[in-house]
Amino acid sequence: MTDQHSTRRELLGGALAAAALRGGSAMAAPPEDLRLGVASYSLRKLSRQQAIDGIKQLGVKYVCIKEFHLRYASTPEELTAGRKEFEDAGLTIVGGGSIDLKKDDDTDMKKYFDYARNCGMPLMVIAPTQETLPRIEKFVKQYNIKVAVHNHGPEDKFFPTAESALKAIQGMDPRVGLCVDVGHSTRAGADPVESIRRAGPRVLDVHIKDLRDLMKQRSDCPVGDGAMPIVAIFKELKKIGYKGCVNLEYEIDADNPLPGMAKSFAYMRGVLAGLRG
């Protein structure tokens, strides 16, 4: 990590993190070229209302909802009501997932696309197989809901890296793309910056996180405290004209995630301010 990188974190991180925890940081945070959002998996041990309150407290407007906060088993009416709770709080639902789409069956797949539509999700972050992708593409065209294949690292026998997913979706509808998870990418031996460069317009979603050891599972830490090349990732996203969200997926401190999430957003806002400056 460079001295400039560390200085930016030290100068901006503490003040912005404190502001985020006090609330009202949506007003205080600088404008952002890249849209920063929350993958609600980060708040998996919190209720829906607690998650909504936490996201607002962080000064974030965008959310990618995990099933913890809008259950698959809910009725369409319950999903619509739950969606309204997010929207009434001033939050924009940018997607949902990851959603397992490994069953190559129309009835099963329709259930999840109906779920996404009822939840107001314009995009589904998905965990498919190579075999289910053609059927998924058919539903993408029918529902006009984008899908982003999530890479899950060396444990994922289907799509460990963004490159493996990119190869599988070549020639498909442009609404079939990638969710680049930078942490799983590095653990699988891929360079997330190069993955983003190669995928270009196929990058439809990003899960951002940091690791103290880029090859080690469970070495997660607040963004800015690890070895992830966040500045280079943000530069490449800006270079490709990325229009989606950079969603923080904070996988540690599940019982009390907000302090680490606030620190992560403070750092990322500082990086964006530095890139503008």
Side-chain angles (χ1 to χ4, degrees):
M1 186 177 294
T2 65
D3 291 341
Q4 180 183 9
H5 205 143
S6 300
T7 300
R8 185 182 300 120
R9 184 186 68 217
E10 292 165 1
L11 291 176
L12 296 175
L16 287 174
L21 289 175
R22 287 197 301 269
S25 59
M27 297 282 292
E32 295 154 356
D33 302 313
L34 295 174
R35 296 188 299 163
L36 300 178
V38 169
S40 84
Y41 177 81
S42 309
L43 306 162
R44 57 199 173 276
K45 288 199 173 182
L46 304 185
S47 69
R48 182 193 300 153
Q49 190 56 56
Q50 289 172 329
I52 290 170
D53 291 342
I55 295 168
K56 290 180 64 180
Q57 191 176 348
L58 292 166
V60 178
K61 297 189 296 183
Y62 305 104
V63 58
C64 183
I65 300 173
K66 182 65 176 175
E67 195 249 346
F68 296 105
H69 302 117
L70 284 174
R71 293 289 183 181
Y72 297 144
S74 301
T75 66
E77 293 76 18
E78 289 169 337
L79 293 175
T80 300
R83 163 190 178 177
K84 190 171 184 296
E85 289 180 32
F86 284 94
E87 293 172 344
D88 286 351
L91 303 180
T92 299
I93 299 170
V94 296
S98 61
I99 297 172
D100 194 282
L101 294 180
K102 292 185 173 67
K103 189 173 182 180
D104 200 11
D105 174 81
D106 275 356
T107 300
D108 188 73
M109 207 160 285
K110 182 178 185 300
K111 174 179 68 176
Y112 292 108
F113 275 85
D114 285 340
Y115 165 83
R117 182 171 60 187
N118 288 325
C119 294
M121 296 171 177
L123 175 143
M124 298 163 62
V125 176
I126 62 171
T129 71
Q130 284 84 353
E131 288 72 25
T132 60
L133 278 170
R135 192 180 301 272
I136 291 167
E137 182 187 25
K138 180 184 74 173
F139 278 91
V140 165
K141 293 175 179 178
Q142 179 181 337
Y143 281 74
N144 192 28
I145 293 175
K146 297 177 183 179
V147 295
V149 180
H150 188 297
N151 62 289
H152 278 103
E155 301 81 17
D156 186 344
K157 65 179 181 179
F158 298 108
F159 300 112
T161 63
E163 283 86 352
S164 59
L166 182 63
K167 181 179 179 180
I169 65 173
Q170 288 299 321
M172 288 191 170
D173 188 284
R175 290 167 290 185
V176 179
L178 309 181
C179 171
V180 179
D181 184 301
V182 300
H184 291 318
S185 293
T186 62
R187 290 195 307 104
D191 178 347
V193 178
E194 183 64 14
S195 298
I196 290 166
R197 186 192 68 77
R198 289 177 180 171
R202 288 286 185 177
V203 182
L204 301 182
D205 194 56
V206 173
H207 280 179
I208 199 77
K209 59 190 64 168
D210 207 345
L211 304 174
R212 297 190 189 279
D213 183 335
L214 295 181
M215 298 296 292
K216 187 176 180 181
Q217 194 172 22
R218 291 185 291 277
S219 69
D220 299 71
C221 60
V223 177
D225 284 357
M228 191 65 64
I230 301 296
V231 173
I233 289 168
F234 281 14
K235 281 183 177 179
E236 191 61 36
L237 287 170
K238 288 167 66 70
K239 185 176 179 180
I240 68 170
Y242 178 62
K243 301 301 182 185
C245 268
V246 178
N247 291 311
L248 174 65
E249 189 173 42
Y250 191 71
E251 299 201 24
I252 54 175
D253 306 325
D255 292 319
N256 184 29
L258 289 178
M261 293 176 72
K263 186 175 184 181
S264 299
F265 279 113
Y267 177 79
M268 291 190 289
R269 287 170 178 144
V271 169
L272 292 176
L275 292 178
R276 284 195 305 272

